[in-house]
Amino acid sequence: MPTFAFAIGLPTLSRSGTCIDCFFPAPLKAPEGALEAAIHDQFAPGEAMIEPDAARAFINAHQPHAAPMLEADRPLVAVLLAKDGPIGSTAEAFLKLHLLSHRLALPNTLNLDGIFAHLQTVAWTTEGAVALDELATRQMRARVQGHHFEVLSVDKFPKMANYIVPSGVRIADSSRIRLGAYLGEGTTVMPYGAINFNAAALGPNMVEGRVSQGVVLGHGSDIGGSASIMGTLAGGGEIVISIGRQCLIGANAGTGIPLGDRCTIEAGLYITAGTRVALIDEDGNRTGPVKARELAGRSDLLFIRHSETGEVQCRVNRKAIALNEQLHAHN
């Protein structure tokens, strides 16, 4: 039987026994050969709670770096997916988010149908995930005992850094990177930069703005302060917005169309699919205007706003944007 993904994890259960969180330190995607045979020898397809002793042989033999999990005095969960189907449980949702943040899958390559239905809205606290109907009791208990208990967020998604810190990245504010984000080597996320789940900065990138769900940011591109890239969730659309290699989106700018390589949008200019754009060729000849959607995915474009008329113009830009190498040194 084929194996799409497999992992052994530490679940967090509410008092009612509902799984509200799951940590998978060593997920596997499409294992083959002896490893796949060992998985099917010990585990059945689907999801099951297991005692640490039952997982000990597999972890010690195949994932020794995950051995600290076996010190847990509570049951673990094993998830074995034969195929990439719609999400059917909280543990499965967390497994797929882990696959993305472990760089085992790129955004928009996993079936995430059902993810919102199977992720609980919980309080993410300094003591981990807490079910909302248990929060008031936990807060009162902490005050009575005189220890610090902070609610960091109330959401379906936790921050990535509490589960995974990918190699070769800098993250100034970890609360702005959700579990399920893909951060490639050399990526720097500044204090007000944000990357949603199922979004990627392939690296090296400088992110000072917002990278929305489904967006993939190509090698060497820079997202300026307070800039944003339109995702697919808010508007219910199906167009995936991608940014090519060596692009620059200026401060307070943004795009609702895909960009090819070496494109620039000047500071303060937001390009949407319906934006009317005048085209200026390399000889200064003017055509158009056209709607920006007709330029989607093209390379070597410079979008500016005329300082006197306010007209949005697009000019050819064949000069690649070079990022400051010192900013991407992660020694």
Side-chain angles (χ1 to χ4, degrees):
M1 177 183 295
T3 302
F4 169 73
F6 171 79
I8 298 172
L10 279 166
T12 300
L13 305 179
S14 68
R15 287 183 302 193
S16 64
T18 300
C19 178
I20 60 174
D21 167 41
C22 205
F23 170 52
F24 295 104
L28 299 169
K29 183 174 182 290
E32 299 177 339
L35 179 56
E36 183 179 26
I39 291 171
H40 286 282
D41 184 55
Q42 291 187 238
F43 304 97
E47 174 185 331
M49 301 298 292
I50 57 173
E51 295 298 325
D53 287 345
R56 192 175 308 278
F58 180 86
I59 290 177
N60 286 336
H62 302 286
Q63 297 179 313
H65 55 290
M69 252 200 323
L70 298 174
E71 299 173 10
D73 59 356
R74 55 192 173 93
L76 307 177
V77 63
V79 180
L80 173 53
L81 303 179
K83 61 181 181 179
D84 182 22
I87 290 172
S89 70
T90 299
E92 185 178 332
F94 272 90
L95 172 54
K96 289 190 174 182
L97 293 175
H98 278 71
L99 291 176
L100 289 162
S101 290
H102 273 282
R103 302 173 179 162
L104 297 175
L106 288 169
N108 308 310
T109 65
L110 299 180
N111 188 337
L112 300 179
D113 293 347
I115 191 168
F116 289 101
H118 290 286
L119 288 176
Q120 308 291 318
T121 300
V122 303
W124 302 100
T125 78
T126 47
E127 295 183 1
V130 176
L132 292 182
D133 61 358
E134 301 172 23
L135 181 59
T137 300
R138 293 282 291 272
Q139 289 174 314
M140 180 66 73
R141 183 183 303 149
R143 289 184 178 272
V144 169
Q145 295 175 349
H147 73 263
H148 177 71
F149 178 88
E150 182 177 355
V151 177
L152 304 171
S153 66
V154 178
D155 196 8
K156 290 179 177 289
F157 295 82
K159 59 184 181 181
M160 181 190 71
N162 281 348
Y163 298 76
I164 303 151
V165 177
S167 62
V169 304
R170 290 168 52 204
I171 301 171
D173 184 348
S174 61
S175 69
R176 295 176 176 269
I177 312 299
R178 274 175 155 180
L179 181 64
Y182 182 113
L183 272 64
E185 289 274 351
T187 295
T188 295
V189 185
M190 297 300 281
Y192 292 99
I195 302 179
N196 206 347
F197 83 99
N198 196 39
L202 298 181
N205 299 108
M206 176 63 70
V207 180
E208 299 182 83
R210 187 181 74 244
V211 182
S212 300
Q213 190 277 147
V215 171
V216 176
L217 184 61
H219 172 89
S221 290
D222 186 339
I223 307 301
S226 298
S228 65
I229 305 169
M230 190 179 297
T232 59
L233 288 178
E238 297 180 353
I239 297 176
V240 176
I241 308 298
S242 61
I243 306 298
R245 299 164 63 92
Q246 297 177 298
C247 292
L248 172 63
I249 300 180
N252 297 304
T255 181
I257 65 170
L259 300 178
D261 298 334
R262 301 173 301 279
C263 291
T264 298
I265 301 177
E266 76 163 17
L269 176 59
Y270 207 112
I271 302 294
T272 64
T275 300
R276 294 175 66 82
V277 182
L279 305 179
I280 311 295
D281 68 19
E282 292 175 299
D283 296 321
N285 299 314
R286 170 195 169 95
T287 57
V290 300
K291 290 188 177 180
R293 65 170 58 93
E294 297 181 38
L295 304 174
R298 297 191 185 183
S299 299
D300 299 300
L301 302 180
L302 168 63
F303 292 92
I304 62 173
R305 188 182 295 277
H306 194 282
S307 61
E308 294 181 352
T309 66
E311 179 184 59
V312 178
Q313 299 178 344
C314 178
R315 298 173 181 266
V316 173
N317 174 30
R318 297 194 181 280
K319 182 178 180 181
I321 302 301
L323 295 176
N324 186 332
E325 293 184 1
Q326 292 183 350
L327 291 177
H328 294 281
H330 299 115
N331 298 330

